[in-house]
Amino acid sequence: MNAVLPANPEPHLERTRLLWTLAALAAMTLPHALHLAPWIVLTAALIALWRLGVVYFGWPLFSRYTRIAFGVLAFVGVYATYHTFNGPQAGTALLILLAGLKLMEARGLRDYFLLLVITLIIGITNFFYDQTIPLAIYMVPAVWLAGTALLNIAHPDTGQSPLTSAKTSARLLLSALPVALVLFLLFPRIPGPLWSLTLPQHSAVTGLSTSMSPGSLSRLAQSDAIAFRVKFLNAAPPRAQRYWRALVLHDYDGQTWTPGNIMWDGSDTLSARGAPVNYQITLQPNHLRVLYALDLPAQGPANTRLTADYELLTPHPVTELRLYSASSYTDYRYGLDIPAWELRRDMRLPSGIDPRARQLAQSWRASAAAPGQIVEDALHMFHQQPFRYTLQPGVLSGPNRIDEFLFVTRSGFCEHYASAFVFLMRAAGIPAHVVIGYQGGTRNPVDGYYTVRQEDAHAWTEVWLAGQGWVRVDPTAAVDPARVDQGLAAALPGEAIPGYFFNAHPWVGQLRNAWDALNNGWNQWILAYGPELQSRLFAGLGMTYGNWLQLVLVLLVAIGAILMLVWLVLWWRHRAPRPSGVQRDYLRFCRKLANCGLTRSASEGPLDYAQRVSHVRPDLAVSVRSISALYMNLRYADSGDARAFARLVHAFRP
Amino acid sequence: MANDQPIPIRDLPVHGLVDKVAMAITAANRIILGKETQIRLALVCLITGGHLLIEDIPGVGKTMLAQSLAHLLGLSYQRIQFTSDLLPADIIGASIYERQSGEFRFHPGPIFAHLVLADEVNRATPKAQSALLEAMEERQVTVDGVTRPLPQPFFVIATQNPLHQVGTFPLPESQLDRFLMCIGLGYPGEQAERELLRGRDRRELLRDLKPVLNAPELMSLRSAAFDLHVSDALLDYLQALVRHTRESPRYENGLSPRAAIAFKHAAQAWALLMGRAGVIPEDLQAVLPGVVGHRLRMQATHESGTPAAVAKELLEAVPIP
């Protein structure tokens, strides 16, 4: 009778492989849908659906020419969308489309294996856009799913329950955790981004730019996104002194303030009083070459440059979270010995515009005894006359924007006041410039960090007075002192600013604080773990940082130690039980006989062995038999005198 | 020297019975020449209450073995020749209407005996086979709603022709598991065959055979065997063997817990027959081929060996702990 052979198992295998691969691919690609052009993820989804149709409803597979055409179209489409094949977006878009292309022709174990490897890479690329806790949490089950899928499609036993492979996958991932941790801590961190991840501007987060025009800061104030977090190592300065300096803007073209060309980069002596304020900043990517520092920074982190304007510049734009330490003085004087030609730069104005403002400045100049008086006059005007501090200042148009603001609308945000004030000062012959940055910051009671948000973006001014150097003047404070003393929410009680909701509901505010603190911890310990923290860790371990050979050795030793530990655990679990005393003696007896060429094979019982030995060596028969009988009694009948046995074995001389 | 026989049974009360069994073995050995091991294994099955499957070509003495055992042990004996048209009723019996009494009366089938020889069991249809196998497992038969116990002890020796014969229904693996052991008899040795050719007719010898034991004595031997001491060291070895069959990729599946228990019982009975009060590794090794040969299937990728080869390989692979 012939047994009926089971049907060819391949279709069934193919189905399992496809389903698992698709599940893993979907989980890894889903977050990309938030960042990529919709057609890319949609195309991949349609191909996946078609593949399901092929397997379940017998739809035709893609022909070779379709696949070639699709491949070409994919490249063309990506280029049309991103105008490049470089960069994270175009790269991941291509990767996803190519995964779809592979899906079109996938058949057999090898193809699905490759697809799952691509899936894992697609999973990694998610972190190009987003390195936050929610994504990290999302990726845990996604990686687990991918591991389970790998096990399921590769396991020769197709009947294996998915639960078993899920468990195995979890076990494998968990046991990889220590090695991952060691690699995370010890793998050399390269300063600056590994890939030049320049995300296109339209998707970049809102933040300061290198110029200032009417409306640029009030737009920023609509965002409660976090700009940076600060940890003061000693006492925090009061809010009114927390001016976070970013850039100094010198040039004005009638609408926009720009830094202009750096003309003088000479050394300057900062004379400071009081103790320095030391702090650590965790800076969110600002895509500028600027690090923010408390006014006025005396020392920045390594690899940065402190300009004569006391800006902290870095060689590369900050594209990923950056942790740095700096120290500043809040009571300072600088710019006393600045050359006159350099001062002239801060007195230039575009000609022919804003005649009324110039006129006003001239009148102050004529009446004032000293330049300081002119400053007072200007602030007095902002304070006394009906100027309004608002987020909705209306649009200034026409060539004479300063005039329009000073004499017509009289309502503006900090950039309007700073801009008008500097204009007036320059018109009155006092060197002045605009400083942009942030002002304030709120302490999070959960972890004690100060959070500075985009809504805290601010513009203020500095004027140069003989004998005093550059003096900070904040015209906004003259209009609305609450902005500087209490923050934006207090200064704009009626307006819809982003933090309003949280201030109105303290309970929700606490929740936000807790979430912020969690994110901050994540930032501090995971994301900001770069060369700086790594070198600190190395110092803590008593090693010198930067010695790559030593680093590699430490890495190898650490990983070797982990593997050793795993091996030890496995060995301990599977170790053979220690032989009992009787057994040890018997083995000694066997060794003695083995020395005479009568080796006992591992599966030879004591009786058989005794008989064999007796047969070969009749002279030993009596003692061998009695020793073996005693051993069998002791070991298999649990009776007899173990000491007598030991003595017999000891006395045994073959 | 007095103590060179390991773990002597002298102190146990079944000592006398064991001697009687030794006499029975000697007597059987005179009829079935040169097959002492097989006779002992058959007796091991009898003592542990398991059933025996003999797989061999016709004419090597399967029937003779069954008959002589039945004679020697004083057991009732029936033989069922399995054919393709055998019906379950031919095995179990049937209720037949009797005109005199005007009622149905149960006529017990040949299964109602201490020792049943099921000859060429693989020639019958699965239906007839399962009737026998059910009776073997339950040790009772149910006909027309009445359950009738089979005599105690109840013992089946089934014979099976090698499977590559036309018109056979090989027993499925699940049913093979019902047999404690599966052994082959094999051709007699040169010397034994000469004696066989010279000697008297075996049937005459059989007629002269006197029972040595009886059924109750067999039952007390059984309880003595099950009480025989099994040390932890021996169980370590047994478990190592079983574990190897489960973990090694050479086998399709490993030994079941039922097989492990059968293995232990068989080794106990073997040790008892050898006159030992404790089980030693050699006892396990002696019964191993019979116990595991029909239960282990080699993976298709490996060369499929005979049961003896499978057993030998297993023994060599596992060291005695």
Side-chain angles (χ1 to χ4, degrees), chain A residues 380 398 628:
Chain A
H380 189 73
S628 299

Side-chain angles (χ1 to χ4, degrees), chain A residues 125-210:
Chain A
T125 56
N126 278 319
F127 289 107
F128 281 165
Y129 309 103
D130 188 349
Q131 306 183 342
T132 55
I133 298 176
L135 181 70
I137 289 175
Y138 175 86
M139 285 306 282
V140 170
V143 169
W144 186 19
L145 179 66
T148 309
L150 255 175
L151 282 178
N152 258 321
I153 67 162
H155 203 277
D157 177 11
T158 48
Q160 197 194 35
S161 134
L163 203 70
T164 316
S165 19
K167 274 186 199 155
T168 314
S169 167
R171 221 176 43 229
L172 289 174
L173 287 177
L174 282 180
S175 41
L177 219 51
V179 178
L181 192 70
V182 166
L183 286 175
F184 174 81
L185 287 176
L186 299 183
F187 197 81
R189 297 290 173 142
I190 296 153
L194 190 54
W195 303 275
S196 68
L197 288 180
T198 40
L199 289 171
Q201 279 304 307
H202 61 84
S203 67
V205 283
T206 51
L208 276 188
S209 65
T210 54

Side-chain angles (χ1 to χ4, degrees), chain A residues 496-513:
Chain A
I497 57 159
Y500 170 75
F501 180 74
F502 297 105
N503 292 325
H505 304 277
W507 182 79
V508 187
Q510 276 168 20
L511 213 64
R512 181 166 87 148
N513 281 339

